[in-house]
Amino acid sequence: MCRWLAYSGTPLLLETILYKPAHSLIDQSLHSRLGVETTNGDGFGVGWYTQEATATPATFRDIGPAWNNRNLREIADHVRSPLFFAHIRASTGTAVQQTNCHPFRYGRWLFMHNGAITDFHRMRRDLTLLVDPALYPDVEGTTDSEVMFHLALTFGLEADPPGAVARMAGVVERVGREHGVEHPLQMTLAISDGERLWAFRYSSQGASRTLFYSSRVDALRRLHPDMEFLQEVSDDTRLVVSEPLGNLPGAWNEVPESTFGIVEPGRDSLHPFTPQAA
């Protein structure tokens, strides 16, 4: 599987989150504690939005491991962003190539995934044929994740992200069961349009991969008044991660099973998630 993080809040250098925490995403690329695999070395990617008005986020993806990539280190030391994604990949069977690395981008949207469509090779054709023909040319790689993204776009992601993801999940489960797959879908997802962040945790089996969100900054300041980092970020700052970046008491909360969350300026919320018929 994979590990990922999504950050939203006070603009920070990427290295503040990617490299500095005790159990940073870079550390997880070698020493994941909660993932299916300990090592996540089949490529990586970062995607970030800038404070300047722009239609699309930037992305940097590569096929090597994150732990020794000099270009990632260089970018992280110099890029500051209010909203960014980072992903380290452990392939579930598709090729190790740049077009298979997350996050995926379409217009202003970023998407990344941990999990798998079970027996994707058996249902890949059926699912791909459900992608809007106008979107199909943008499918560059061979992963189940990218097909999931384009199915969500097909089912209205730009207007209704939770509904589109629910319809995508419903289609994957229907097609999977038509092919005799008992538990077709395993996913934690992050999606953003540059202003809001949506995170989803769901699996057909009801035993989803781990996902956590950070506690409110104002509450953490009361618990840890001497932590300089907490004095530098706004109350709206949030992290969503596959596994906690450290052991700070009170800092991390598990996203409940079959749940999605929304992070946006001024508020955040959790809601039940159920696949829908598309």
Side-chain angles (χ1 to χ4, degrees):
M1 300 294 173
C2 309
R3 304 279 83 186
W4 59 256
L5 69 80
Y7 172 87
S8 175
T10 298
L12 291 178
L13 288 173
L14 271 58
E15 61 114 16
T16 307
I17 303 299
L18 292 185
Y19 285 90
K20 288 188 174 181
H23 190 46
S24 69
L25 197 67
I26 304 304
D27 180 65
Q28 291 175 35
S29 66
L30 274 171
H31 307 294
S32 172
R33 299 170 184 169
L34 302 179
V36 175
E37 296 87 7
T38 301
T39 303
N40 298 271
D42 295 328
F44 69 87
V46 291
W48 66 93
Y49 298 87
T50 64
Q51 292 179 279
E52 292 75 26
T54 181
T56 60
T59 61
F60 171 57
R61 302 183 294 171
D62 203 356
I63 61 173
W67 62 77
N68 66 353
N69 190 282
R70 295 179 65 184
N71 290 328
L72 178 61
R73 176 79 256 191
E74 184 75 11
I75 288 171
D77 285 348
H78 292 84
V79 169
R80 189 180 301 271
S81 172
L83 200 164
F84 59 86
F85 284 8
H87 186 280
I88 50 176
R89 184 171 183 243
S91 172
T92 55
T94 50
V96 178
Q97 60 191 47
Q98 191 178 87
T99 53
N100 284 346
C101 294
H102 310 223
F104 301 103
R105 177 179 64 189
Y106 179 82
R108 69 182 187 275
W109 293 87
L110 286 176
F111 174 102
M112 60 185 175
H113 169 227
N114 174 37
I117 296 176
T118 305
D119 289 337
F120 177 60
H121 64 284
R122 293 168 53 189
M123 61 183 88
R124 178 179 173 184
R125 179 181 181 276
D126 290 353
L127 290 174
T128 302
L129 287 174
L130 294 173
V131 173
D132 185 332
L135 294 169
Y136 182 79
D138 294 303
V139 180
E140 297 183 321
T142 60
T143 63
D144 51 356
S145 304
E146 192 175 15
V147 171
M148 290 166 63
F149 181 29
H150 283 80
L151 284 171
L153 287 164
T154 297
F155 297 141
L157 178 70
E158 293 176 287
D160 175 19
V165 173
R167 291 185 283 275
M168 175 274 290
V171 159
V172 170
E173 291 193 324
R174 174 178 62 80
V175 172
R177 286 165 183 155
E178 288 172 357
H179 284 265
V181 179
E182 183 180 5
H183 302 300
L185 184 58
Q186 173 71 244
M187 69 177 199
T188 65
L189 301 179
I191 301 171
S192 182
D193 61 357
E195 298 179 4
R196 294 162 293 176
L197 164 66
W198 293 264
F200 298 80
R201 184 182 185 216
Y202 175 79
S203 65
S204 306
Q205 193 174 8
S208 301
R209 300 293 178 254
T210 56
L211 193 65
F212 298 84
Y213 64 96
S214 61
S215 298
R216 289 183 56 88
V217 171
D218 54 353
L220 287 174
R221 287 196 196 103
R222 292 192 292 271
L223 287 172
H224 308 282
D226 298 328
M227 281 205 67
E228 183 178 348
F229 172 78
L230 296 175
Q231 309 306 319
E232 297 172 352
V233 296
S234 69
D235 289 352
D236 289 338
T237 296
R238 294 287 183 276
L239 272 162
V240 185
V241 298
S242 294
E243 58 186 81
L245 306 184
N247 298 317
L248 187 68
W252 302 103
N253 312 275
E254 186 171 12
V255 175
E257 184 71 47
S258 300
T259 296
F260 75 93
I262 309 172
V263 177
E264 56 189 329
R267 70 184 187 95
D268 48 58
S269 56
L270 291 172
H271 307 272
F273 178 81
T274 304
Q276 299 175 7

